Amino acid sequence: MPANNPTACLLVIGNEVLSGRTRDANIQFLATGLGNLGIPLREVRIIPDVRETIVDTVNEVRRTFDYVFTTGGIGPTHDDITSECVAAAFGVPWEHHPVAWPRMEAAYKPGEFNTARQRMATMPRGATLIENDISVAPGFQLENVYVMAGVPRIMQSMFTWLAPRLQGGAKIEMRAVHVFGLPEGVLAEGLEAVQARHPDLDIGSYPFYRTGSHGVTLVAKGPDAAAADRAIAEVTELIAGFGKVPIPGEPPELSAGEGPEE
Amino acid sequence: MPANNPTACLLVIGNEVLSGRTRDANIQFLATGLGNLGIPLREVRIIPDVRETIVDTVNEVRRTFDYVFTTGGIGPTHDDITSECVAAAFGVPWEHHPVAWPRMEAAYKPGEFNTARQRMATMPRGATLIENDISVAPGFQLENVYVMAGVPRIMQSMFTWLAPRLQGGAKIEMRAVHVFGLPEGVLAEGLEAVQARHPDLDIGSYPFYRTGSHGVTLVAKGPDAAAADRAIAEVTELIAGFGKVPIPGEPPELSAGEGPEE
């Protein structure tokens, strides 16, 4: 992985993924979007709606990574505590936001901008807004921490607004080739040699399973597209050397995960 | 959340989820399975195939949580480094496993149990095996750390084998009711009162979006089923008080995420 690209950490805040009630729908979108900006996602943490956990985690990761993105916990209900926890993490007051408050007040009918909704216009002092096309409630940025909604389509709208405003690095290029019927354990030695020849790339090996057929996808990743192309050409040759047919790109309908084979 | 239930942390190890190449398929399965055993999942970390990161993270979380589960990185290729990192984290040798080694050696044709495959039979000293029905390569347990495959169907087979061998607590019960056309911001105050009357439950509020209709799901979670039933009855009454129709259970085809409304 390139040493000079800025790094990112994502905090998914909320009990509903940890309880298994919902399957996360935001990680892959943000991982891909950040990779395209040359801001590789280096860690994801899924944490519960617990004040101490959120405060401590925000403080740990904002010092470790260039960018921290959070999703979830900025709605109007009692379990939405991300915003006040970010204020506590930075040691700043949690107060009426000078832009968000009047805007949200104007968006509701008289009397409907109640205490619960006012929470969504209350932010850490110094926060700047992250806009979106769907909800009147914005996200916000404080230093290197970007606080976004958990509802996927609102989060996506916020990230789309945010993307051109982030300072990225060289885009992470990804090239792949796959093969059926050739076990990882046979490819491993040659693959390690390809990795050794391309120390600036990440060479990954991902077995997949289909009804009636197994295979493996080999991926080369890094900021240098030409190097990734060369590495995949070497892997392609390696596969052909075992008398199998290398197929460019990812297999259709990828099943997730990596692990032991056979 | 019950204070006397054992807690769990899941480490998803591998670059392919962080790069956005694949969408995680293991978190929800394990979150649900652990909840059913009364071992609430309290944190998930997705980390890359980087030795120092894996070692440091394993050492941090194995001291914080009762159970640590890992998925990914136990295959035969150069990027599969979970097993040796767990050995390093515990400060024990990484060596031929007395059971896994002869079993795997016997499973391959003469000459095919090569260096790469031998890695899958090499484990931290003191590890006991986690069996599965699909791959000849087992996972392993060392103290409170359970190392499993990343390929979903192998991981699921390992967890199914493991589940009756884990010491759990009271099962986490979950009850839900949902409603269309009633914003979270209207429900919030009454919902907070329900939470205040049931401090041993987690009351969660999760908006959802459909083409042409919005709604919110209210969830009560905790080890006391009767308390969860009572809390949901109170939420049902709250919804009816706004002239809307409470619908028992989760909405069909749940979309993930929580966040701001309207």
PDB file of all heavy atoms in Angstrom, chain B residues 221-251:
ATOM      1  N   LYS B 221     -34.614  -4.674  22.963  1.00  0.00           N
ATOM      2  CA  LYS B 221     -33.669  -5.774  23.014  1.00  0.00           C
ATOM      3  C   LYS B 221     -33.172  -5.965  24.433  1.00  0.00           C
ATOM      4  O   LYS B 221     -32.855  -4.995  25.128  1.00  0.00           O
ATOM      5  CB  LYS B 221     -32.448  -5.416  22.154  1.00  0.00           C
ATOM      6  CG  LYS B 221     -32.135  -6.364  21.047  1.00  0.00           C
ATOM      7  CD  LYS B 221     -30.980  -5.845  20.215  1.00  0.00           C
ATOM      8  CE  LYS B 221     -30.121  -4.864  20.931  1.00  0.00           C
ATOM      9  NZ  LYS B 221     -28.974  -4.375  20.221  1.00  0.00           N
ATOM     10  N   GLY B 222     -33.062  -7.213  24.877  1.00  0.00           N
ATOM     11  CA  GLY B 222     -32.527  -7.486  26.199  1.00  0.00           C
ATOM     12  C   GLY B 222     -32.767  -8.934  26.557  1.00  0.00           C
ATOM     13  O   GLY B 222     -33.445  -9.663  25.819  1.00  0.00           O
ATOM     14  N   PRO B 223     -32.233  -9.373  27.682  1.00  0.00           N
ATOM     15  CA  PRO B 223     -32.359 -10.782  28.045  1.00  0.00           C
ATOM     16  C   PRO B 223     -33.745 -11.146  28.599  1.00  0.00           C
ATOM     17  O   PRO B 223     -34.087 -12.320  28.663  1.00  0.00           O
ATOM     18  CB  PRO B 223     -31.282 -10.969  29.114  1.00  0.00           C
ATOM     19  CG  PRO B 223     -31.055  -9.613  29.684  1.00  0.00           C
ATOM     20  CD  PRO B 223     -31.392  -8.619  28.625  1.00  0.00           C
ATOM     21  N   ASP B 224     -34.544 -10.145  28.986  1.00  0.00           N
ATOM     22  CA  ASP B 224     -35.841 -10.404  29.605  1.00  0.00           C
ATOM     23  C   ASP B 224     -36.948 -10.262  28.559  1.00  0.00           C
ATOM     24  O   ASP B 224     -37.362  -9.156  28.204  1.00  0.00           O
ATOM     25  CB  ASP B 224     -36.039  -9.408  30.761  1.00  0.00           C
ATOM     26  CG  ASP B 224     -37.332  -9.654  31.521  1.00  0.00           C
ATOM     27  OD1 ASP B 224     -38.241 -10.353  30.999  1.00  0.00           O
ATOM     28  OD2 ASP B 224     -37.458  -9.128  32.644  1.00  0.00           O
ATOM     29  N   ALA B 225     -37.440 -11.404  28.065  1.00  0.00           N
ATOM     30  CA  ALA B 225     -38.432 -11.393  26.989  1.00  0.00           C
ATOM     31  C   ALA B 225     -39.707 -10.671  27.406  1.00  0.00           C
ATOM     32  O   ALA B 225     -40.316  -9.937  26.618  1.00  0.00           O
ATOM     33  CB  ALA B 225     -38.745 -12.822  26.557  1.00  0.00           C
ATOM     34  N   ALA B 226     -40.127 -10.878  28.656  1.00  0.00           N
ATOM     35  CA  ALA B 226     -41.368 -10.254  29.120  1.00  0.00           C
ATOM     36  C   ALA B 226     -41.222  -8.731  29.154  1.00  0.00           C
ATOM     37  O   ALA B 226     -42.148  -7.991  28.779  1.00  0.00           O
ATOM     38  CB  ALA B 226     -41.738 -10.791  30.513  1.00  0.00           C
ATOM     39  N   ALA B 227     -40.053  -8.262  29.577  1.00  0.00           N
ATOM     40  CA  ALA B 227     -39.812  -6.819  29.590  1.00  0.00           C
ATOM     41  C   ALA B 227     -39.822  -6.259  28.170  1.00  0.00           C
ATOM     42  O   ALA B 227     -40.382  -5.179  27.908  1.00  0.00           O
ATOM     43  CB  ALA B 227     -38.481  -6.507  30.285  1.00  0.00           C
ATOM     44  N   ALA B 228     -39.213  -6.988  27.235  1.00  0.00           N
ATOM     45  CA  ALA B 228     -39.205  -6.541  25.835  1.00  0.00           C
ATOM     46  C   ALA B 228     -40.630  -6.486  25.287  1.00  0.00           C
ATOM     47  O   ALA B 228     -41.003  -5.543  24.580  1.00  0.00           O
ATOM     48  CB  ALA B 228     -38.321  -7.461  24.991  1.00  0.00           C
ATOM     49  N   ASP B 229     -41.442  -7.489  25.636  1.00  0.00           N
ATOM     50  CA  ASP B 229     -42.851  -7.481  25.218  1.00  0.00           C
ATOM     51  C   ASP B 229     -43.584  -6.258  25.778  1.00  0.00           C
ATOM     52  O   ASP B 229     -44.349  -5.600  25.066  1.00  0.00           O
ATOM     53  CB  ASP B 229     -43.556  -8.762  25.712  1.00  0.00           C
ATOM     54  CG  ASP B 229     -43.184  -9.993  24.885  1.00  0.00           C
ATOM     55  OD1 ASP B 229     -42.832  -9.825  23.702  1.00  0.00           O
ATOM     56  OD2 ASP B 229     -43.248 -11.110  25.437  1.00  0.00           O
ATOM     57  N   ARG B 230     -43.349  -5.966  27.053  1.00  0.00           N
ATOM     58  CA  ARG B 230     -44.021  -4.813  27.678  1.00  0.00           C
ATOM     59  C   ARG B 230     -43.599  -3.500  27.016  1.00  0.00           C
ATOM     60  O   ARG B 230     -44.424  -2.639  26.734  1.00  0.00           O
ATOM     61  CB  ARG B 230     -43.694  -4.749  29.182  1.00  0.00           C
ATOM     62  CG  ARG B 230     -44.527  -5.690  30.053  1.00  0.00           C
ATOM     63  CD  ARG B 230     -44.428  -5.317  31.544  1.00  0.00           C
ATOM     64  NE  ARG B 230     -43.041  -5.348  32.029  1.00  0.00           N
ATOM     65  CZ  ARG B 230     -42.411  -6.461  32.446  1.00  0.00           C
ATOM     66  NH1 ARG B 230     -43.029  -7.641  32.428  1.00  0.00           N
ATOM     67  NH2 ARG B 230     -41.163  -6.402  32.883  1.00  0.00           N
ATOM     68  N   ALA B 231     -42.301  -3.369  26.754  1.00  0.00           N
ATOM     69  CA  ALA B 231     -41.814  -2.132  26.134  1.00  0.00           C
ATOM     70  C   ALA B 231     -42.423  -1.947  24.741  1.00  0.00           C
ATOM     71  O   ALA B 231     -42.841  -0.837  24.373  1.00  0.00           O
ATOM     72  CB  ALA B 231     -40.286  -2.151  26.059  1.00  0.00           C
ATOM     73  N   ILE B 232     -42.496  -3.030  23.976  1.00  0.00           N
ATOM     74  CA  ILE B 232     -43.060  -2.916  22.624  1.00  0.00           C
ATOM     75  C   ILE B 232     -44.562  -2.618  22.707  1.00  0.00           C
ATOM     76  O   ILE B 232     -45.109  -1.877  21.872  1.00  0.00           O
ATOM     77  CB  ILE B 232     -42.738  -4.180  21.788  1.00  0.00           C
ATOM     78  CG1 ILE B 232     -41.253  -4.168  21.399  1.00  0.00           C
ATOM     79  CG2 ILE B 232     -43.620  -4.275  20.539  1.00  0.00           C
ATOM     80  CD1 ILE B 232     -40.796  -2.971  20.550  1.00  0.00           C
ATOM     81  N   ALA B 233     -45.228  -3.147  23.729  1.00  0.00           N
ATOM     82  CA  ALA B 233     -46.653  -2.809  23.923  1.00  0.00           C
ATOM     83  C   ALA B 233     -46.799  -1.309  24.185  1.00  0.00           C
ATOM     84  O   ALA B 233     -47.730  -0.658  23.670  1.00  0.00           O
ATOM     85  CB  ALA B 233     -47.235  -3.628  25.075  1.00  0.00           C
ATOM     86  N   GLU B 234     -45.902  -0.742  24.957  1.00  0.00           N
ATOM     87  CA  GLU B 234     -45.948   0.696  25.229  1.00  0.00           C
ATOM     88  C   GLU B 234     -45.675   1.510  23.956  1.00  0.00           C
ATOM     89  O   GLU B 234     -46.321   2.538  23.715  1.00  0.00           O
ATOM     90  CB  GLU B 234     -44.908   1.072  26.304  1.00  0.00           C
ATOM     91  CG  GLU B 234     -45.248   0.522  27.682  1.00  0.00           C
ATOM     92  CD  GLU B 234     -44.134   0.751  28.707  1.00  0.00           C
ATOM     93  OE1 GLU B 234     -43.340   1.690  28.518  1.00  0.00           O
ATOM     94  OE2 GLU B 234     -44.065  -0.013  29.680  1.00  0.00           O
ATOM     95  N   VAL B 235     -44.735   1.040  23.146  1.00  0.00           N
ATOM     96  CA  VAL B 235     -44.441   1.744  21.887  1.00  0.00           C
ATOM     97  C   VAL B 235     -45.639   1.644  20.939  1.00  0.00           C
ATOM     98  O   VAL B 235     -45.989   2.606  20.246  1.00  0.00           O
ATOM     99  CB  VAL B 235     -43.164   1.173  21.225  1.00  0.00           C
ATOM    100  CG1 VAL B 235     -42.939   1.819  19.862  1.00  0.00           C
ATOM    101  CG2 VAL B 235     -41.941   1.368  22.119  1.00  0.00           C
ATOM    102  N   THR B 236     -46.283   0.480  20.944  1.00  0.00           N
ATOM    103  CA  THR B 236     -47.462   0.275  20.102  1.00  0.00           C
ATOM    104  C   THR B 236     -48.573   1.271  20.467  1.00  0.00           C
ATOM    105  O   THR B 236     -49.194   1.886  19.591  1.00  0.00           O
ATOM    106  CB  THR B 236     -47.952  -1.183  20.270  1.00  0.00           C
ATOM    107  OG1 THR B 236     -46.892  -2.059  19.862  1.00  0.00           O
ATOM    108  CG2 THR B 236     -49.200  -1.460  19.451  1.00  0.00           C
ATOM    109  N   GLU B 237     -48.761   1.449  21.761  1.00  0.00           N
ATOM    110  CA  GLU B 237     -49.754   2.403  22.261  1.00  0.00           C
ATOM    111  C   GLU B 237     -49.375   3.847  21.871  1.00  0.00           C
ATOM    112  O   GLU B 237     -50.220   4.648  21.471  1.00  0.00           O
ATOM    113  CB  GLU B 237     -49.816   2.281  23.790  1.00  0.00           C
ATOM    114  CG  GLU B 237     -51.088   2.800  24.424  1.00  0.00           C
ATOM    115  CD  GLU B 237     -51.129   2.450  25.921  1.00  0.00           C
ATOM    116  OE1 GLU B 237     -50.596   1.364  26.289  1.00  0.00           O
ATOM    117  OE2 GLU B 237     -51.654   3.267  26.696  1.00  0.00           O
ATOM    118  N   LEU B 238     -48.073   4.130  21.979  1.00  0.00           N
ATOM    119  CA  LEU B 238     -47.560   5.454  21.595  1.00  0.00           C
ATOM    120  C   LEU B 238     -47.891   5.759  20.131  1.00  0.00           C
ATOM    121  O   LEU B 238     -48.389   6.846  19.787  1.00  0.00           O
ATOM    122  CB  LEU B 238     -46.043   5.470  21.825  1.00  0.00           C
ATOM    123  CG  LEU B 238     -45.251   6.708  21.427  1.00  0.00           C
ATOM    124  CD1 LEU B 238     -45.597   7.891  22.325  1.00  0.00           C
ATOM    125  CD2 LEU B 238     -43.737   6.428  21.498  1.00  0.00           C
ATOM    126  N   ILE B 239     -47.635   4.784  19.265  1.00  0.00           N
ATOM    127  CA  ILE B 239     -47.905   4.963  17.826  1.00  0.00           C
ATOM    128  C   ILE B 239     -49.394   5.189  17.593  1.00  0.00           C
ATOM    129  O   ILE B 239     -49.796   6.112  16.868  1.00  0.00           O
ATOM    130  CB  ILE B 239     -47.425   3.717  17.032  1.00  0.00           C
ATOM    131  CG1 ILE B 239     -45.894   3.636  17.061  1.00  0.00           C
ATOM    132  CG2 ILE B 239     -47.952   3.743  15.609  1.00  0.00           C
ATOM    133  CD1 ILE B 239     -45.326   2.304  16.555  1.00  0.00           C
ATOM    134  N   ALA B 240     -50.228   4.354  18.223  1.00  0.00           N
ATOM    135  CA  ALA B 240     -51.679   4.471  18.048  1.00  0.00           C
ATOM    136  C   ALA B 240     -52.181   5.834  18.517  1.00  0.00           C
ATOM    137  O   ALA B 240     -53.123   6.402  17.941  1.00  0.00           O
ATOM    138  CB  ALA B 240     -52.390   3.338  18.794  1.00  0.00           C
ATOM    139  N   GLY B 241     -51.515   6.384  19.548  1.00  0.00           N
ATOM    140  CA  GLY B 241     -51.896   7.702  20.063  1.00  0.00           C
ATOM    141  C   GLY B 241     -51.705   8.828  19.052  1.00  0.00           C
ATOM    142  O   GLY B 241     -52.316   9.887  19.168  1.00  0.00           O
ATOM    143  N   PHE B 242     -50.855   8.601  18.043  1.00  0.00           N
ATOM    144  CA  PHE B 242     -50.682   9.590  16.970  1.00  0.00           C
ATOM    145  C   PHE B 242     -51.607   9.294  15.787  1.00  0.00           C
ATOM    146  O   PHE B 242     -51.467   9.871  14.719  1.00  0.00           O
ATOM    147  CB  PHE B 242     -49.225   9.614  16.500  1.00  0.00           C
ATOM    148  CG  PHE B 242     -48.270  10.229  17.487  1.00  0.00           C
ATOM    149  CD1 PHE B 242     -47.387   9.449  18.223  1.00  0.00           C
ATOM    150  CD2 PHE B 242     -48.277  11.614  17.689  1.00  0.00           C
ATOM    151  CE1 PHE B 242     -46.510  10.026  19.134  1.00  0.00           C
ATOM    152  CE2 PHE B 242     -47.399  12.198  18.597  1.00  0.00           C
ATOM    153  CZ  PHE B 242     -46.521  11.407  19.335  1.00  0.00           C
ATOM    154  N   GLY B 243     -52.549   8.363  16.002  1.00  0.00           N
ATOM    155  CA  GLY B 243     -53.521   8.057  14.949  1.00  0.00           C
ATOM    156  C   GLY B 243     -52.944   7.223  13.812  1.00  0.00           C
ATOM    157  O   GLY B 243     -53.513   7.188  12.716  1.00  0.00           O
ATOM    158  N   LYS B 244     -51.811   6.557  14.067  1.00  0.00           N
ATOM    159  CA  LYS B 244     -51.203   5.717  13.023  1.00  0.00           C
ATOM    160  C   LYS B 244     -51.373   4.245  13.380  1.00  0.00           C
ATOM    161  O   LYS B 244     -51.700   3.900  14.525  1.00  0.00           O
ATOM    162  CB  LYS B 244     -49.713   6.042  12.884  1.00  0.00           C
ATOM    163  CG  LYS B 244     -49.452   7.476  12.440  1.00  0.00           C
ATOM    164  CD  LYS B 244     -49.794   7.671  10.975  1.00  0.00           C
ATOM    165  CE  LYS B 244     -49.532   9.123  10.556  1.00  0.00           C
ATOM    166  NZ  LYS B 244     -49.841   9.343   9.138  1.00  0.00           N
ATOM    167  N   VAL B 245     -51.123   3.377  12.432  1.00  0.00           N
ATOM    168  CA  VAL B 245     -51.332   1.938  12.628  1.00  0.00           C
ATOM    169  C   VAL B 245     -50.017   1.245  12.953  1.00  0.00           C
ATOM    170  O   VAL B 245     -49.138   1.124  12.097  1.00  0.00           O
ATOM    171  CB  VAL B 245     -51.943   1.302  11.357  1.00  0.00           C
ATOM    172  CG1 VAL B 245     -52.180  -0.196  11.582  1.00  0.00           C
ATOM    173  CG2 VAL B 245     -53.228   2.011  10.976  1.00  0.00           C
ATOM    174  N   PRO B 246     -49.854   0.770  14.204  1.00  0.00           N
ATOM    175  CA  PRO B 246     -48.647   0.007  14.543  1.00  0.00           C
ATOM    176  C   PRO B 246     -48.709  -1.393  13.943  1.00  0.00           C
ATOM    177  O   PRO B 246     -49.750  -2.055  14.034  1.00  0.00           O
ATOM    178  CB  PRO B 246     -48.679  -0.055  16.073  1.00  0.00           C
ATOM    179  CG  PRO B 246     -50.076   0.284  16.468  1.00  0.00           C
ATOM    180  CD  PRO B 246     -50.796   0.910  15.325  1.00  0.00           C
ATOM    181  N   ILE B 247     -47.633  -1.828  13.310  1.00  0.00           N
ATOM    182  CA  ILE B 247     -47.597  -3.158  12.684  1.00  0.00           C
ATOM    183  C   ILE B 247     -46.563  -3.998  13.423  1.00  0.00           C
ATOM    184  O   ILE B 247     -45.390  -3.627  13.479  1.00  0.00           O
ATOM    185  CB  ILE B 247     -47.234  -3.052  11.185  1.00  0.00           C
ATOM    186  CG1 ILE B 247     -48.163  -2.045  10.486  1.00  0.00           C
ATOM    187  CG2 ILE B 247     -47.291  -4.417  10.502  1.00  0.00           C
ATOM    188  CD1 ILE B 247     -47.680  -1.611   9.114  1.00  0.00           C
ATOM    189  N   PRO B 248     -46.996  -5.129  14.011  1.00  0.00           N
ATOM    190  CA  PRO B 248     -46.046  -5.940  14.784  1.00  0.00           C
ATOM    191  C   PRO B 248     -44.879  -6.438  13.929  1.00  0.00           C
ATOM    192  O   PRO B 248     -45.049  -6.728  12.746  1.00  0.00           O
ATOM    193  CB  PRO B 248     -46.892  -7.121  15.265  1.00  0.00           C
ATOM    194  CG  PRO B 248     -48.300  -6.645  15.189  1.00  0.00           C
ATOM    195  CD  PRO B 248     -48.356  -5.697  14.025  1.00  0.00           C
ATOM    196  N   GLY B 249     -43.706  -6.508  14.536  1.00  0.00           N
ATOM    197  CA  GLY B 249     -42.530  -7.082  13.879  1.00  0.00           C
ATOM    198  C   GLY B 249     -41.778  -6.097  13.007  1.00  0.00           C
ATOM    199  O   GLY B 249     -42.070  -4.897  12.983  1.00  0.00           O
ATOM    200  N   GLU B 250     -40.799  -6.639  12.281  1.00  0.00           N
ATOM    201  CA  GLU B 250     -39.974  -5.846  11.365  1.00  0.00           C
ATOM    202  C   GLU B 250     -40.723  -5.670  10.046  1.00  0.00           C
ATOM    203  O   GLU B 250     -41.481  -6.550   9.636  1.00  0.00           O
ATOM    204  CB  GLU B 250     -38.669  -6.604  11.059  1.00  0.00           C
ATOM    205  CG  GLU B 250     -37.788  -6.859  12.249  1.00  0.00           C
ATOM    206  CD  GLU B 250     -36.712  -5.782  12.397  1.00  0.00           C
ATOM    207  OE1 GLU B 250     -36.685  -4.825  11.599  1.00  0.00           O
ATOM    208  OE2 GLU B 250     -35.913  -5.910  13.332  1.00  0.00           O
ATOM    209  N   PRO B 251     -40.452  -4.576   9.332  1.00  0.00           N
ATOM    210  CA  PRO B 251     -41.013  -4.473   7.982  1.00  0.00           C
ATOM    211  C   PRO B 251     -40.341  -5.489   7.068  1.00  0.00           C
ATOM    212  O   PRO B 251     -39.204  -5.873   7.308  1.00  0.00           O
ATOM    213  CB  PRO B 251     -40.664  -3.049   7.562  1.00  0.00           C
ATOM    214  CG  PRO B 251     -39.482  -2.686   8.371  1.00  0.00           C
ATOM    215  CD  PRO B 251     -39.590  -3.443   9.671  1.00  0.00           C
TER     216      PRO B 251
END
